[in-house]
């Protein structure tokens, strides 16, 4: 499967990974056209970046300046569009009269990495998949301000952060503990949160029962990559140790999709390794297909011709994660 094609009239621009269901999708735009590519583990994926990276705009609107943005920006927006986008987000607390129902969640990303957050009730678990939460449980549901107040109370009382650097999430995915330990960590956090009910919780927030949802299988993190032709199982691609730092004009990324979590795609490449591509880095680029990306053996070299960085080398995420 190629990730994009170039047709007459210009290239398609990727909107990054989406998780409306339990399979990852890539969103695409070209002018007013919108398309979606459903991704499948084991399929080939590849593209080449062309030209310059441009601002993706805000709230579905095109950037009026057509601004060029840095290759390493995970936001993909110019300063003005980033301001407008955040001003209309739930996190900005500018929608106090929002009539919709919201949910408070407890999310676990790895040992020692937990957070409390809120999401729209109608979105279900999409927000947790977008963040790459390995396991989670709902805690309560109610009006926006009640959910926001509960979130603030729990952060202060439990000492959990509102954000976790994405590099940290990525660094632990190849060495996650077992299912029982993951569930136990979420259950422990839930018990601590539930013990605070009546002490700062708004009465309008309905507490939901503990129900741990484990997303390792959804992300494909529970299976070892199938060996490439000519390799034994013991020679299969190991846990990812490199990630794409930025795209450049003419830069190529290609490989076989073996896992996905949040905005990250894990690609097995021809040298036997696994490279992580944060799809927030590819938004705003014109992308063309790599004609021989149907399988990793059909692309020469390491399949990746853009700057890489060792996973675990640090870095702070962009966006509201």
């Amino acid at each position: 499967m190629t990730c994009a094609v170039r047709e007459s009239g210009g290239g398609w621009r990727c909107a990054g990974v989406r998780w409306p269901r339990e399979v990852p999708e890539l969103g695409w735009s070209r002018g007013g056209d919108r398309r979606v590519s459903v991704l499948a583990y084991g399929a080939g994926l590849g593209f080449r970046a062309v030209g310059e990276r441009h601002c993706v705009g805000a709230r579905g609107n095109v950037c009026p300046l057509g601004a060029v943005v840095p290759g390493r920006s995970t936001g993909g927006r110019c300063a003005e569009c980033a301001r407008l986008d955040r001003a209309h987000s739930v996190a900005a607390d500018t929608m106090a009269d929002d009539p919709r129902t919201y949910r408070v969640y407890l999310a676990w990303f790895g040992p020692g990495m937990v957070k409390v957050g809120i999401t729209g009730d109608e979105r279900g678990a999409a927000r947790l998949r977008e963040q790459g939460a390995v396991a989670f449980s709902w805690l309560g549901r109610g009006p926006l301000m009640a959910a926001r107040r509960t979130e603030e109370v729990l952060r202060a009382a439990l000492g959990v952060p509102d954000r976790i650097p994405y590099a940290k999430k990525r660094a632990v995915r190849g060495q996650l503990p077992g299912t029982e330990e993951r569930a136990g960590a979420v259950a422990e956090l839930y018990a601590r949160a539930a013990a605070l009910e009546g002490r700062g919780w708004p009465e309008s927030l309905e507490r939901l029962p503990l129900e741990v949802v484990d997303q390792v299988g959804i992300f494909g993190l529970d299976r070892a990559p199938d060996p490439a032709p000519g390799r034994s199982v013991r020679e299969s691609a190991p846990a990812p140790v490199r990630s794409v730092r930025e795209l450049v004009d003419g830069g190529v990324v290609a490989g076989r999709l073996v896992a996905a979590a949040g905005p990250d795609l894990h690609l097995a490449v021809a040298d036997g390794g696994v490279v992580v591509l944060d799809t927030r880095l590819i938004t705003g680029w014109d992308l063309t297909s790599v004609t021989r990306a149907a399988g990793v053996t059909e692309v020469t070299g390491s399949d990746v011709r853009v700057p890489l960085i060792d996973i675990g080398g640090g870095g702070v995420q962009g966006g509201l994660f």
Side-chain angles (χ1 to χ4, degrees), residues 208-235:
L208 298 175
L210 171 68
E211 185 177 348
V212 179
V213 178
D214 194 288
Q215 303 198 116
V216 164
I218 293 173
F219 293 153
L221 300 173
D222 59 344
R223 62 175 71 90
D226 296 329
R231 294 180 181 271
S232 68
V233 173
R234 294 172 60 186
E235 295 172 314

Side-chain angles (χ1 to χ4, degrees), residues 10 76 114 153 158 250 265:
V114 295
V153 168
L158 303 180
L265 302 181

Side-chain angles (χ1 to χ4, degrees), residues 273-292:
V274 173
V275 171
V276 175
L277 170 65
D278 183 341
T279 57
R280 294 174 300 174
L281 296 175
I282 68 177
T283 59
W285 283 97
D286 277 359
L287 302 176
T288 66
S289 62
V290 176
T291 57
R292 296 193 300 172

Side-chain angles (χ1 to χ4, degrees), residues 36-56:
V36 170
S37 300
V38 178
L39 302 180
Y41 300 137
L45 184 150
F47 60 84
R48 176 181 290 103
V50 178
E52 296 178 309
R53 187 187 188 193
H54 291 86
C55 173
V56 297

Side-chain angles (χ1 to χ4, degrees), residues 91 103-119 127-128 130-139 148 150-152 154-156 158-166 169 185-186 189-190 192-193 317-321:
R103 291 196 176 210
V104 181
Y105 61 79
L106 306 172
W108 184 90
F109 299 91
M113 287 186 283
V114 295
K115 66 164 287 189
V116 179
I118 70 172
T119 186
R127 180 63 173 156
L128 283 304
E130 290 168 357
Q131 294 189 52
V134 175
F136 74 92
S137 176
W138 301 116
L139 180 65
R148 177 65 74 203
T150 303
E151 179 187 35
E152 293 172 352
L154 295 179
R155 284 176 180 169
L158 303 180
V160 296
D162 59 345
R163 300 185 189 185
I164 297 174
Y166 209 86
K169 301 178 189 178
V186 176
L189 183 63
Y190 180 94
R192 293 172 59 201
Q317 70 194 17
L320 302 176
F321 286 83

Side-chain angles (χ1 to χ4, degrees), residues 226-252:
D226 296 329
R231 294 180 181 271
S232 68
V233 173
R234 294 172 60 186
E235 295 172 314
S236 297
V241 294
R242 295 173 295 169
S243 63
V244 175
R245 171 176 285 185
E246 64 178 313
L247 268 63
V248 294
D249 181 25
V252 172

